[in-house]
Amino acid sequence: MSPPLTRGQLLSRSAKGGAALLVAGSAIGALVDRAAAAPLPTTDLAYARLLVGAELLASDFYTQALAAANTGPTVTKYLKLAYANEQEHYQSVAGIVSGAGQTPAVAGDIDFSYPDGTFNSQSSIVKFAQQLETTILGAYLGAIGGIQTNELKTGIARIAACEGQHASYFATVMGGKAFNLSFPSDLTIDQASNALDAYTS
């Protein structure tokens, strides 16, 4: 068995490999902790793998939503922007996994499935997008509470903020409130995993 990877080694390996930790405002670039010597907890890697799956699902959904060509120009613009955000998020959380010497999942590793009619209209696309983004937001909020490495939390929180913006936009498109809850719900790693598993075939 290989010796446990330290945080410092994780960051060093990621930097040397040109890992995608440094993306779009360096969300996970805030990991830098040159003096850290404690091994990166396996729990943190479990959360990172979960979030990788969430980002792959989001990217797949937005790809199919755009391909369906059933949304107006404004919604289409935001679908494209959300897709770009999710790609950057994926690179960040996948960088945690690859930096630990493991291989993150990629699009071809998972077959996603959606309820019948998901892409039939702008209304159905936006409704699912809002539900999906709320679930992903819950997964990130749960990760902030569950991850033990403090240096990861700021970057994860920044991604959560972006996911919250996505959920808010799609809620308003459906005629709902842009915001309501003072404390959006978080999901445990098991709750998030179960919710995301519903969209794998």
Side-chain angles (χ1 to χ4, degrees):
M1 175 178 284
S2 299
L5 190 71
T6 67
R7 293 177 194 153
Q9 289 168 333
L10 165 62
L11 298 171
S12 174
R13 184 177 301 182
S14 297
K16 290 176 182 177
L21 294 176
L22 305 177
V23 298
S26 300
I28 306 297
L31 284 169
V32 177
D33 181 10
R34 296 178 180 87
L40 192 71
T42 56
T43 301
D44 294 3
L45 293 175
Y47 271 108
R49 287 191 292 269
L50 172 74
L51 298 176
V52 163
E55 295 299 346
L56 289 173
L57 170 60
S59 293
D60 183 82
F61 166 72
Y62 287 118
T63 297
Q64 294 202 44
L66 289 165
N70 282 329
T71 54
T74 300
V75 171
T76 298
K77 179 180 73 173
Y78 279 98
L79 290 173
K80 290 178 179 178
L81 180 57
Y83 171 79
N85 292 158
E86 306 300 4
Q87 288 287 290
E88 292 174 344
H89 298 164
Y90 168 81
Q91 294 298 326
S92 291
V93 292
I96 299 171
V97 178
S98 62
Q102 300 181 22
T103 302
V106 296
D109 293 333
I110 307 172
D111 292 324
F112 296 109
S113 60
Y114 304 92
D116 291 342
T118 295
F119 304 103
N120 286 355
S121 66
Q122 174 168 299
S123 176
S124 62
I125 289 170
V126 169
K127 180 180 179 180
F128 186 86
Q130 197 275 333
Q131 293 171 344
L132 177 62
E133 290 290 356
T134 299
T135 299
I136 294 176
L137 171 60
Y140 273 100
L141 292 176
I144 295 168
I147 282 176
Q148 300 174 46
T149 305
N150 288 331
E151 292 77 17
L152 288 170
K153 292 187 177 185
T154 298
I156 296 298
R158 291 173 67 187
I159 296 176
C162 183
E163 304 295 0
Q165 291 175 331
H166 293 175
S168 177
Y169 170 73
F170 291 118
T172 59
V173 173
M174 293 192 301
K177 297 178 180 179
F179 57 90
N180 185 21
L181 298 174
S182 299
F183 303 98
S185 299
D186 59 346
L187 298 174
T188 67
I189 194 167
D190 289 335
Q191 289 171 331
S193 180
N194 291 337
L196 297 172
D197 281 348
Y199 306 115
T200 59
S201 54

